[in-house]
Amino acid sequence: MYLVIKAIRIMKTKLFIYILFINYALCSYGQTTFQKSIGVANKHYHDLNIEPLEDGTNDYIVAGNLFDAAMQNEELTLKRVDQNGIVIWINTYDHPIYQLIRGFDIFIHNNLIVATGSVDVNGIKKVYVITIDALTGILQNGMYYEIVTPNLNSRGLHIVYTESDADGDNNPDPGYLIGGFYSDCYAVDPICINLGFLLRTDINLNLLWATDLDSNISNGMPNYDFINHITETSNGFFITGSVTDSVSPLQSVLALKIDFQGNFIWNQSYLFGNSMDVSVDAYYDSNTDLIYMLCNYSISHYFAVTVLDNTTGGIGFSNSWVATSGNNFDVYGFTIMESLNSSDHLIVTGYDKEENWIAQDGTAQFGQNNLFVYEFDKATGTPIVINYQYLVPHIEPVGDEFNFWNSQLPLIYYPDLSFSQGDADGAYYYHVGYRTEFNATYTEAELFKTPNDKLNNCENIEIDLTTNPIGIQDVSVVYGPTPVFASPFEPFNIVVNYSADSCDPNLSIGENNIDNNLIYPNPVEDILYFSTGNLITYSIYDTLGRVVMEGSLIDKSSIQVTSLKKGIYFIRLVGDNEIQVFNFIKK
């Protein structure tokens, strides 16, 4: 029943790729690893982040925004992808009144995608939270929030699900914690008044408490007070981002610990570099009660890891370090997580700001967001086995306030680039990046799935870094409660057409230039129509690969699907010398 095509294991910098094509009815090529690009016509992908689903399918969600050519009009965009890189659906989200819905982060819990970002409400940007059904991509609930007053602009940069006790009654309060910043300026500008905020809501998005973060600096001085990541520990939340040193004033690492009710526990914020420092993520080790904070420093042009005691906030200088390299600069970390190889190791993934190389075909290439994977020993910072940077041509589109490289390193925003997950074939890393070919106009999303040796399917180089000790200067913060007001917000979803290619287009199979308009309507209630080929027979499969309907086509152009239950299905259409496979939603 299945056509299987095997390919060869990729060696370093060789442009070969695994190809294993299984009948699309099982929702996959059947390959264990992949590297592929997903593009939408006349749109730039940006702000991409990635999260696994919890429904047992090993699917995941890639979130971000689609922009026009000028990077002036954004659309929150989500896509569900299976473990073999097959796109299940892509939706954008719009609203009949409010404009510029931009997504910055998602979290997934109980088959709900929970997204945060900003939306223009009558000329003011408001932080929002919406929940979306992960099976269909359809909105469930939504709120936007005004921080302090209706006249201030706000953006949510990170969201987590938590069951912690939010009100001190010793009972769990399932809900969400959102971090971000608010400002008196519409566009991002460090000269404006910028303050970090935290919002704690219940599961229905009702506000439970809110706090803000500031530093003691004079008006008109550069202000870098932002919250960009939240890590839950055994007794509270560890908060990363940046805060302004009142003496310099320079952008400094935020290292703030609060309890589950939002009260201050300790502050270990510090300045290390000479211009711009920022913390971007953290890993909490419950066995040792240590926090591994991922940072970036402008003075070193590299990422760093600082180890803190969760109870006291004390820094372990013996195993804190900053990476350097003699032959490369501007390599910045975005995500830190546990290694698949050992619980004694951690993984840092991020982007190299600038890399030149000669591709396998002999052409000169340049990449501004080459994704790297760096594994190290928790106790020493020593690199483990071989680490890689994946070489993908890309130049950041200009014109957006959150362009990663408007400055030397991103000053504010660091989305989640990676996660690890096991499936029937083993355990793998999943990553998201960007691709803009030399002669291309628009930026595509680059999806990676690699085994625990971290080796990707296409071109790469090894990275070899040196770790060095750090020295710090303490920075104070101002932290406390702040007023917040909530309002309903309910955008609607729009199905998006897309194209997909493996990293070598000559080896792509089955999914190139998929046009969802060839089957319609989608979602469907009664009759599914086709506008492609001389089709004869069909088979419909559920997401577990079971045949639920099969037979001959009515007039070779339609199928009655009224009897199907609600959900996602895959249809295999067979005609004269052709086989086509599509996914559709039965409503």
Side-chain angles (χ1 to χ4, degrees), residues 221-265:
M221 300 295 288
N223 186 329
Y224 298 99
D225 297 338
F226 307 105
I227 289 172
N228 62 28
H229 210 279
I230 302 158
T231 302
E232 185 166 341
T233 76
S234 60
N235 60 348
F237 301 103
F238 179 70
I239 310 301
T240 58
S242 67
V243 65
T244 308
D245 173 42
S246 59
V247 178
S248 323
L250 297 174
Q251 183 176 7
S252 305
V253 165
L254 176 66
L256 177 69
K257 181 68 183 300
I258 64 173
D259 67 17
F260 293 128
Q261 290 81 52
N263 301 306
F264 177 91
I265 297 181

Side-chain angles (χ1 to χ4, degrees), residues 181-196:
F181 70 100
Y182 66 101
S183 173
D184 60 346
C185 291
Y186 186 83
V188 176
D189 188 338
I191 302 301
C192 299
I193 298 174
N194 301 298
L195 295 89

Side-chain angles (χ1 to χ4, degrees), residues 252-402:
S252 305
V253 165
L254 176 66
L256 177 69
K257 181 68 183 300
I258 64 173
D259 67 17
F260 293 128
Q261 290 81 52
N263 301 306
F264 177 91
I265 297 181
W266 51 256
N267 170 54
Q268 193 55 266
S269 303
Y270 65 82
L271 178 66
F272 172 76
N274 59 357
S275 179
M276 297 171 290
D277 292 350
V278 59
S279 53
V280 301
D281 194 7
Y283 171 83
Y284 173 61
D285 188 334
S286 58
N287 293 323
T288 60
D289 203 35
L290 294 177
I291 297 168
Y292 293 79
M293 177 175 63
L294 179 61
C295 306
N296 293 307
Y297 303 137
S298 61
I299 193 172
S300 66
H301 299 256
Y302 266 89
F303 62 93
V305 171
T306 302
V307 184
L308 304 102
D309 185 288
N310 177 53
T311 302
T312 66
I315 293 178
F317 288 96
S318 62
N319 55 350
S320 298
W321 49 268
V322 55
T324 59
S325 175
N327 56 10
N328 197 12
F329 287 101
D330 297 334
V331 179
Y332 302 111
F334 280 59
T335 298
I336 186 168
M337 59 187 180
E338 188 170 288
S339 167
L340 293 173
N341 292 311
S342 170
S343 59
D344 294 328
H345 303 167
L346 294 178
I347 293 281
V348 171
T349 64
Y351 291 140
D352 183 343
K353 179 181 177 180
E354 45 191 344
E355 186 68 51
N356 295 278
W357 71 96
I358 302 299
Q360 187 69 21
D361 62 5
T363 60
Q365 299 287 339
F366 175 75
Q368 251 188 345
N369 292 68
N370 284 288
L371 191 140
F372 71 84
V373 185
Y374 183 81
E375 184 173 1
F376 67 94
D377 183 270
K378 285 181 183 177
T380 64
T382 303
I384 303 298
V385 297
I386 301 174
N387 296 302
Y388 296 100
Q389 180 187 149
Y390 307 148
L391 301 176
V392 180
H394 172 62
I395 296 178
E396 278 280 296
V398 298
D400 175 58
E401 58 188 343
F402 284 90

